[in-house]
Amino acid sequence: MFRTALRNVLAHKARLLMTVLAVTLGVAFVSGTLIFTDTLSKALSGQSAKSYDGVAVSVTSYGQGRNEEGQKEGEPGISRQTLDKVKAVKGVDTVSGRVSGFAGVGDEDGKLIGSGWANKGSNYAPVKDGKDPRYTFTGGTGPTKDDQIALDKDTATKGKYEIGDKVRVATNGPVREFALTGVFTTEDGAVNAGGSLVLFDTQVAQQLYLQPGFYDELSISAKAGTSADQLLADVKPLLAKNTKAQTGVALAAEEAANIKKQMSGMSTMLLAFAGISLFVGVFLIYNTFTMLVTQRTKELALLRAVGANRGQVMRSVLAEALVVGALSAAIGLVSGIGLAAGMRSLMDAIGAKIPGGELVIAPVTIVAALVIGVLVTTLAALLPAWRTGRIAPVAAMGSAHLPADAKSLMLRNVFGCVISALGIGVVFLGVSMKSDGRMVIGGGAFLMLLGMIVLLPLLSKPVIAAVRPALQKVFGVPGKLAAQNAVRNPRRTAVTAASLAIGLTLVTTMSVLGVTMGKAVDRMSTDKLKADYKVTMSGGIGSLDKTVAETLAKAPGVEAVSPQADGFFKVGESFRMASGVNPATIGRLLNVEVTSGSLDSLVKGEVAVAESTAKEQKLTAGSTLNVTFDDGQKGTLKVGAVYKDLEGLLSPYVLDNKILAQHSEDQYIREVYVNTTGGETKANHQAVVDALGKNPAMSVATQQDMRNEMGGMVNTALNIMYGLLGMALIISVLGVVNTLAMSVFERTQEIGMLRAIGLDRSRVKNMIRLEAVVISLFGAVLGVAIGVFLAWAVGTTLTKSVPNYELVMPYDRIGIFLLLAAVVGVLAAMWPARSAARLNMLTAIKTE
């Protein structure tokens, strides 16, 4: 029986090749993802460990803490006195203090070099030999004066800077010029992520990022014969409570664990692709083995007649699946290795440098590829194999094409209706739970898709019957025959349509949500945001200096300026976020819709409260708030206005920024809004840029830039979903090819008769093509319908967190999806249609 199974595998190469391709795609994504993330994790961990070479103990400061009254306590960092005490410990060889923060370098055009979030500044900390062990200089030396810096090699190359040049460097304040004294290489993660690193003299770095005489961390090396653990025990008693000390080995291990955790997000996303690919591929494998079994019904019946029992026949089919699965897994693993190498090259191409090293092919990856390939194929073939064992030998030899069991279809329909109804009920339950119901809706969506797959045979007949008159009217006899043939075998039609339905359900849901979110963002930008420009730190990382708003207010052509500064105060036992603004201009920059009181009350030192917070706290215009500010001082604020929530633009409490600034030493200014005379123009944009000193670290965004920024994540998610659709389409094409090939095989005699009575080759081809298009559009229409329903359901949970949310139907995109489904049908029908048209009519008529 096993030899028979092997012979059957080789006898149907073309059909099984499509199955192999479907499984290979999924296995390649799984193995490629695991290899890529393992390789990246090992490379980054190794790079991180190198940066701690020679570090026996590392001490990190958490900064100042707060007491129960909200007052800051403790030192802002590790003091110079503490460093000296550590340096005097027996067994300590060297101690270097570090301090770091944001620093941006401009190129010759004044544009920021590198990514905003990965642009870093630190101090040059030479030890007793006059060198800093973290950096290897390829030219020049480290900075020793206030007006000197050193740059990493990549940044110097990109900016075309040479030693002795003047370099414009920006932190969160005005741009300053420094003399370049050296260029170095480093294993710093920011640089390897495509950013930049500027080294300042220690005193300059402390003034920029912390306070004079304080450090963020200490790196301690040990003398020969002193263990890191012993040194750690000796150093700990000298440290303040707001610090953490650990050995260099422990720190490297912690960094490696953090890197692995960061990789998990990427891994999850890529594995989702693979999972859906494999799920869709199951339908193709099921169809393939159903076809192969049907083609060999008489052969299998003969085996039964000569003594093979049901178990042997079933095992022979499963053996075929096992061989195909093993072959697919092996090809998928090799493809995954190539995919991982390609992803690594892509990362390098976009500027995210990955440390060198070999690809990591872990044993678990090999096992996962083999298990997934074999398991998926075998499970998909299980039902066809079971049905094969149940065929009675006499019945099978009498008819090669046995009809579906009416009882089994009835049970299937009842089961499908129950699951679908349960899924719909769970979705509506999630809708009633509002923002807490998204996970519930996800569970309901899964049940709905499962129910749809079970019910597809029942749904195929009425849906396709509805379009039969139109097909007959437009295409004549081929159209009528195509509609009839599409529902001749409801189970096979259903399995073929399922892959497209699943893919389009996901893509339609995301498209409707994405377009709706985009429109909500546009409305927020146009309805709520009246400012011409928004100034932030590049990459959105870090606080603007308090002088930015003052500088812009004095610039020519600027009519109104207001910072949006983050602050907080304590109301009762709860800390509350507050926005500090310019009370005289905020009404001209943001459309703040006041429901009671007046926004002018901000000028008098009163506070405006968001409507939802006012209801929660039972506040109205005229109420008073007893608060404890950032510095621990207590005060009373009068509520001067209640306004409709502006989530994403303003905190629940808004007041004059002068009040917040009085109680905060290091206020975080998120952005500054600006209006100019004449509105948004190219000249006004340049005027704002010039007023900021052409600061490369600051971004001046127009309203369109703000829309793009807010919609960036939505567009990224949509692009991922469209990639998913592409993969589903590839597998769907294979599935439709299989279905049509089987349809042609079953109707060989019928096609010969049609040819004999006058249906020419071109109309035979049209019949097969239309059959493919009908099946594809059937799956697509169901997928789109369920996708729209799920998008509506998820959207109801977003109405509170997304202002101006209103469901928008992207009819143009839905039309493109349906058109793509039709194209899939046409492409998939090319080979089966050509085969049907080339049948010799006399030979076909004689076929049993």
Side-chain angles (χ1 to χ4, degrees), residues 601 604-609 620-625 636-641:
S601 62
K604 297 182 286 185
E606 297 178 1
V607 64
V609 184
T620 59
S623 300
T624 57
L625 282 172
T636 300
L637 295 174
K638 181 180 178 181
V639 177

Side-chain angles (χ1 to χ4, degrees), residues 73 111 163 342 419 438 444 477 511 542 617 767:
E73 59 181 6
K111 294 182 180 179
I163 295 172
I419 295 177
R438 289 168 202 159
V477 174
S511 291
Q617 300 292 315
M767 177 182 70

Side-chain angles (χ1 to χ4, degrees), residues 145-149 166 176-180 204:
K145 297 180 180 179
D146 291 355
D147 61 348
Q148 295 177 341
I149 61 164
K166 292 292 185 181
R176 290 178 57 184
E177 279 196 346
F178 295 85
L180 182 63
V204 174

Side-chain angles (χ1 to χ4, degrees), residues 748-779:
T748 299
Q749 188 179 64
E750 178 186 314
I751 292 170
M753 293 292 294
L754 290 172
R755 290 288 314 283
I757 61 176
L759 197 69
D760 59 25
R761 289 185 174 181
S762 63
R763 286 195 286 179
V764 169
K765 287 183 179 179
N766 283 343
M767 177 182 70
I768 303 299
R769 290 193 195 104
L770 289 172
E771 184 179 344
V773 171
V774 166
I775 293 173
S776 298
L777 286 178
F778 168 58

